[in-house]
C-alpha cells in the first residue's frame, strides 16, 4: 500500500512538472506566432535594434530594450550596497533588538504593493531629482532609485539566508583564533555565502527587468534610447502597457509580442544563470 501511494505521488508530481514545462513553452510559442508578421517584415536584429516610429512604418523596440537595461541595471547597482549592509547587520553585526527590527521591516516591505512605491516616487523622488539634479524629473534615475528600494528586500532575504546557512563551526573556529565579528563576516561567512548571494543578485535583476508600474509611473516613457541617467526612458513592460491599437492585426500591435519575447529571453538568462551557479556550488 505504501509503495502504491509513493508511485501515485510520483506520477502526480511528474504530471505537474510536465504541465508547468508545457505551459511555459506554450507562452513562448504563443508570442512567437503572434509576432511573426513583424519578423517577416524586418529581420530579428532590426526589430530589437531599430527605433520606434509607427508613422513611418518602423516598429523597432531598440529604445525600449535600452531603457529596460538602463533602469534595471542602475536599480540593481543602487540596491546592492544597501542590501549588503542590511544583510550584514541582520546576520552578524547588529544587536538582537536591531536585528529583529530590521528583519521585520524587510518582511513588511515585501508585502507593500508596487503602486505605493510608484506614488512615493512621484511625490518624493521626482521632485528631488528635478530640483537637485535637473532635467524633467521623470527619468532613468528616478525610476532606478524607487525600483532599488522595491527590489532590495529580495536581495536582503537571499543575502541573509546565504550568510546564515554558513556552517557555524567555521565561525566558531575563527572566533577561537581571535577574529572579530567583522573579520568573521568578511573572511569566513562572505566567501562561503558568495554563491547564494550571487543568485539573489541575479534574481533581483530579473525582477527589476520585469517590473511594469514603477517604470510606467516614473521613467517618463520617452520613445528614445536614454543617453544619461537624467533622460526619460520607456521600458519593454511599459511599452506593452501603453501601446493601443484598434487593429489587432496591425504591426504596431504585433510588435508588443516582440517585447514579450525580449523579456522572456532576459528572464531565461537570469534563471539559467542561477541554475548554473547552484550546480557549481553543489
Amino acid at each position: 500500500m505504501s509503495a502504491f501511494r509513493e508511485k501515485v505521488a510520483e506520477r502526480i508530481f511528474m504530471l505537474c512538472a510536465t504541465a508547468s514545462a508545457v505551459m511555459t513553452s506554450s507562452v513562448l510559442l504563443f508570442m512567437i506566432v503572434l509576432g511573426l508578421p513583424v519578423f517577416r517584415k524586418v529581420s530579428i536584429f532590426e526589430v530589437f535594434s531599430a527605433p520606434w516610429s509607427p508613422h513611418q512604418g518602423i516598429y523597432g523596440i531598440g529604445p525600449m530594450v535600452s531603457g529596460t537595461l538602463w533602469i534595471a541595471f542602475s536599480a540593481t547597482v543602487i540596491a546592492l550596497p544597501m542590501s549588503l549592509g542590511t544583510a550584514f547587520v541582520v546576520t552578524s553585526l547588529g544587536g538582537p533588538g536591531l536585528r529583529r527590527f530590521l528583519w521585520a521591516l524587510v518582511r513588511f516591505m515585501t508585502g507593500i504593493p508596487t503602486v505605493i512605491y510608484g506614488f512615493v516616487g512621484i511625490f518624493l523622488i521626482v521632485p528631488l531629482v528635478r530640483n537637485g539634479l535637473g532635467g524633467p524629473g521623470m527619468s532613468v534615475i528616478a525610476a532606478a532609485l524607487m525600483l532599488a528600494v522595491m527590489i532590495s528586500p529580495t536581495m536582503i532575504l537571499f543575502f541573509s539566508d546565504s550568510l546564515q546557512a554558513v556552517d557555524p563551526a567555521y565561525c566558531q573556529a575563527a572566533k577561537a583564533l581571535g577574529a572579530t565579528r567583522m573579520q568573521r563576516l568578511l573572511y569566513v561567512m562572505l566567501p562561503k555565502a558568495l554563491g547564494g548571494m550571487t543568485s539573489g543578485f541575479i534574481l533581483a535583476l530579473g525582477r527589476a527587468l520585469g517590473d511594469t508600474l514603477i517604470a510606467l509611473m516614473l521613467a517618463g516613457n520617452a520613445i528614445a534610447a536614454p543617453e544619461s541617467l537624467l533622460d526619460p526612458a520607456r521600458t519593454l513592460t511599459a511599452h506593452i502597457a501603453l501601446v493601443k491599437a484598434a487593429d489587432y492585426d496591425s504591426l504596431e500591435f504585433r510588435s508588443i509580442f516582440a517585447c514579450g519575447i525580449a523579456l522572456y529571453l532576459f528572464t531565461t538568462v537570469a534563471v539559467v544563470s542561477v541554475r548554473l551557479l547552484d550546480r557549481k556550488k553543489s
Side-chain angles (χ1 to χ4, degrees):
M1 189 65 179
S2 178
F4 175 75
R5 290 179 178 177
E6 292 175 0
K7 195 69 174 178
V8 171
E10 181 181 355
R11 293 290 177 86
I12 292 174
F13 294 149
M14 287 296 297
L15 180 62
C16 293
T18 303
S20 177
V22 169
M23 286 188 290
T24 303
S25 303
S26 299
V27 169
L28 178 61
L29 182 62
F30 170 78
M31 290 188 292
I32 291 175
V33 169
L34 291 182
L36 275 179
V38 179
F39 297 118
R40 286 172 180 165
K41 182 177 177 60
V42 294
S43 67
I44 294 178
F45 177 78
E46 290 177 334
V47 170
F48 291 111
S49 61
W52 173 262
S53 183
H55 298 296
Q56 300 177 1
I58 303 175
Y59 301 97
I61 60 172
M64 280 64 78
V65 172
S66 177
T68 299
L69 296 177
W70 267 83
I71 293 174
F73 279 102
S74 299
T76 313
V77 170
I78 294 170
L80 180 60
M82 295 191 301
S83 303
L84 281 174
T86 304
F88 290 164
V89 172
V90 167
T91 57
S92 180
L93 302 179
L98 181 59
R99 292 185 188 183
R100 286 195 297 270
F101 170 75
L102 288 177
W103 195 246
L105 180 62
V106 170
R107 290 186 175 276
F108 173 75
M109 289 175 65
T110 59
I112 298 177
T114 308
V115 69
I116 302 300
Y117 288 108
F119 276 123
V120 171
I122 289 176
F123 294 107
L124 179 62
I125 301 297
V126 170
L128 288 175
V129 172
R130 184 188 301 120
N131 298 329
L133 300 176
M138 290 190 176
S139 56
V140 171
I141 187 62
L145 286 171
M146 203 69 255
L147 193 57
V149 175
M150 194 191 76
I151 66 174
S152 58
T154 300
M155 298 177 73
I156 293 169
L157 292 174
F158 268 91
F159 292 173
S160 300
D161 290 342
S162 298
L163 290 169
Q164 291 172 342
V166 175
D167 192 344
Y170 292 108
C171 298
Q172 293 169 2
K175 185 177 181 180
L177 293 173
T180 63
R181 285 195 296 177
M182 180 60 74
Q183 289 172 333
R184 294 197 298 271
L185 174 64
L186 293 178
Y187 301 115
V188 178
M189 298 175 66
L190 191 57
K192 291 291 183 181
L194 196 57
M197 295 173 70
T198 305
S199 299
F201 177 85
I202 294 174
L203 290 176
L205 175 62
R207 187 181 181 191
L209 288 167
D211 177 76
T212 302
L213 201 55
I214 288 181
L216 188 65
M217 297 173 72
L218 301 179
N221 298 310
I223 309 177
E227 297 180 357
S228 73
L229 294 174
L230 297 177
D231 290 339
R234 178 183 289 191
T235 62
L236 291 165
T237 51
H239 185 68
I240 292 173
L242 289 171
V243 168
K244 297 177 182 178
D247 182 7
Y248 291 109
D249 290 327
S250 65
L251 292 179
E252 181 178 1
F253 180 77
R254 293 301 182 99
S255 67
I256 68 174
F257 294 101
C259 296
I261 293 171
L263 289 169
Y264 195 99
L265 293 177
F266 287 153
T267 304
T268 301
V269 170
V271 172
V272 170
S273 299
V274 171
R275 297 296 185 190
L276 291 176
L277 285 170
D278 289 342
R279 182 178 298 179
K280 184 178 179 181
K281 184 173 62 175
S282 300

